DNA sequence: CCGCATCCGGGGCGATACTG
DNA sequence: CAGTATCGCCCCGGATGCGG
């Protein structure tokens, strides 16, 4: 990207990560840990393949990303963030939190969705209101790979991937799921739409935002 | 900007503020409170005037910015952020902090500079190590308008604008000033370059990062 | 199949000139 | 002062090709 030519840390940051798609690539690598070219692409519906290759090169040149060959059996390349790259987490967090209100309206026509992306809304809405209680896990299913909410010690963390024997499991469309997590839809209404719930409902209330 | 078409809060955020120049415009409005078109432009060296007009319209449409006529004597328009716009502060903070390391190398050839931009490096480096001591102020002068550091109750805040009777006043090139604030250059070395210091040196040590 | 490179059309961006 | 108008360029998007 063309430099802004300003001796300002915000401008310098945008010189590096201000290009279109760049921060979304960082998002995918942050959520996945390490990934192959094709996996990254799957998480970035709409990106042109040459742009992805360009950006990955750029990010590597800037020291935000490293590539290394996958362990022997497979002949593939793995991409992962460097420490400097992972330091962008506060940036993504801030952006993700700021963007949460846009999710309330539901997906726009044609919007793609991956359940990993629920991490920001989830962590923005939720908190553990019973810090003393034993840890609990919630499985979120909105199509594709599930996401797990780990509730313990006053915090709620969202991590991609399945889990064995969650305390409760929610399956619904992304929009309904967000409505439930944000407390804007109660469980009964959500069920009348497309929510399926299995397990202990009380775990939901433990982490939901306090009613308005 | 063309939407990323992803039902993800990070992507939705970037749909709105991911355009080139947009976050820098928000930066200027955040630092200035409210400003006229020409003032904003002065803080964005390099921007094309039609782009600035476009972006301001966009930001207004998105509800991040409002324009209102200036108080009677002057016939001018004032631009200022709405609450929703000011909520971007954590985003700018995160970006600004992440970008600070790029400032260490000094300005690139042709880089423009405004002293307000020192806010992020200043708040990133500094802390009040004598929370009990009475408040103090430091004037930073790097050309153009000065910036004031307000040190009190364990915190250091940087705000644009001059101040009456600061405890200490520093004048130097931006690069030297940053070196001093970050503790990478000691005062003697800085003085041998272009630093001029008036007032109580101890206030500097009160807020400087602890020596390595 | 994985990880690109190439080609091409369209639009966002940059610079300057101009105007109410 | 606060923008519009214009124009060239380059970045981006989409499709396809292609070597390992």
């Amino acid at each position: 990207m063309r430099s802004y030519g300003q001796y300002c840390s915000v401008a310098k940051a945008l010189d590096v990560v201000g290009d279109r798609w760049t921060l979304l690539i960082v998002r995918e690598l942050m959520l996945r840990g390490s990934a192959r070219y094709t996996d990254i692409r799957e998480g970035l519906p709409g990106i042109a393949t040459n742009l992805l290759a360009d950006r990955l090169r750029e990010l590597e040149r800037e020291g935000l990303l490293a590539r290394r060959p996958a362990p022997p059996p497979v002949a593939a390349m793995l991409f992962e963030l460097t420490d400097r790259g992972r330091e962008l987490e506060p940036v993504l967090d801030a952006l993700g939190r700021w963007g949460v209100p846009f999710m309330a309206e539901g997906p726009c026509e044609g919007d793609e969705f991956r359940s990993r992306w629920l991490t920001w809304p989830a962590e923005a809405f939720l908190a553990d209101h019973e810090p003393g209680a034993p840890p609990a896990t919630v499985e979120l299913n909105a199509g594709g790979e599930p996401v797990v909410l780990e509730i313990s010690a006053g915090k709620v963390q969202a991590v991609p991937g399945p889990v064995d024997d969650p305390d409760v499991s929610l399956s619904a469309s992304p929009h309904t799921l967000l409505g439930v997590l944000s407390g804007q839809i109660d469980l009964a209404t959500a069920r009348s739409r497309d929510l399926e719930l299995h397990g202990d409902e009380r775990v939901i209330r433990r982490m939901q935002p306090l009613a308005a």
Side-chain angles (χ1 to χ4, degrees), chain A residues 125-140:
Chain A
F125 288 132
L126 305 174
D128 178 7
H129 298 122
E130 301 172 22
T137 55
V138 178
E139 188 187 63
L140 300 183

Side-chain angles (χ1 to χ4, degrees), chain A residues 142-161:
Chain A
E145 294 285 307
V147 166
V148 185
L149 304 178
E150 299 172 348
I151 315 168
S152 81
K155 306 203 92 181
V156 175
Q157 272 209 316
V159 294

Side-chain angles (χ1 to χ4, degrees), chain A residues 140-194:
Chain A
L140 300 183
N141 235 295
E145 294 285 307
V147 166
V148 185
L149 304 178
E150 299 172 348
I151 315 168
S152 81
K155 306 203 92 181
V156 175
Q157 272 209 316
V159 294
V163 68
D164 285 344
D165 196 32
D167 295 285
V168 61
S169 161
L170 302 177
S171 299
S173 66
H175 191 203
T176 307
L177 218 45
L178 277 179
V180 171
L181 295 183
S182 67
Q184 300 213 318
I185 312 177
D186 62 41
L187 288 179
T189 318
R191 255 191 256 257
S192 77
R193 300 205 190 163
D194 55 4

Side-chain angles (χ1 to χ4, degrees), chain A residues 14-204:
Chain A
L14 290 173
D15 280 349
V16 176
V17 298
D19 257 322
R20 190 160 164 80
W21 290 107
T22 301
L23 277 176
L24 293 185
I25 293 172
V26 174
R27 174 196 72 187
E28 285 304 307
L29 289 167
M30 197 98 76
L31 290 174
R32 288 172 178 273
S34 85
R36 295 175 306 170
Y37 186 90
T38 320
D39 299 329
I40 303 176
R41 213 182 146 182
E42 181 273 345
L44 296 168
I47 197 174
T49 151
N50 57 340
L51 268 192
L52 178 53
D54 281 357
R55 295 291 185 266
L56 290 175
R57 244 191 313 270
E58 265 302 297
L59 287 171
E60 192 180 3
R61 227 175 42 86
E62 299 283 356
L64 310 194
L65 175 148
R67 72 179 71 200
R68 81 182 145 87
V74 259
M77 205 57 102
L78 287 184
F79 298 84
E80 56 189 359
L81 293 177
T82 61
D83 290 343
R84 179 67 175 148
R86 267 187 296 274
E87 284 171 12
L88 282 168
E89 188 170 349
V91 174
L92 286 182
D93 276 356
L95 270 172
R97 275 178 186 270
W98 189 81
V100 165
F102 297 121
M103 308 283 284
E105 316 154 16
C108 304
E109 162 101 18
D111 268 5
E112 296 274 350
F113 176 75
R114 303 290 183 271
S115 34
R116 323 182 229 7
W117 303 341
L118 286 174
T119 34
W120 285 281
E123 299 193 356
F125 288 132
L126 305 174
D128 178 7
H129 298 122
E130 301 172 22
T137 55
V138 178
E139 188 187 63
L140 300 183
N141 235 295
E145 294 285 307
V147 166
V148 185
L149 304 178
E150 299 172 348
I151 315 168
S152 81
K155 306 203 92 181
V156 175
Q157 272 209 316
V159 294
V163 68
D164 285 344
D165 196 32
D167 295 285
V168 61
S169 161
L170 302 177
S171 299
S173 66
H175 191 203
T176 307
L177 218 45
L178 277 179
V180 171
L181 295 183
S182 67
Q184 300 213 318
I185 312 177
D186 62 41
L187 288 179
T189 318
R191 255 191 256 257
S192 77
R193 300 205 190 163
D194 55 4
L195 176 71
E196 284 190 46
L197 182 153
H198 301 287
D200 185 353
E201 287 193 14
R202 288 170 309 171
V203 178
I204 308 290

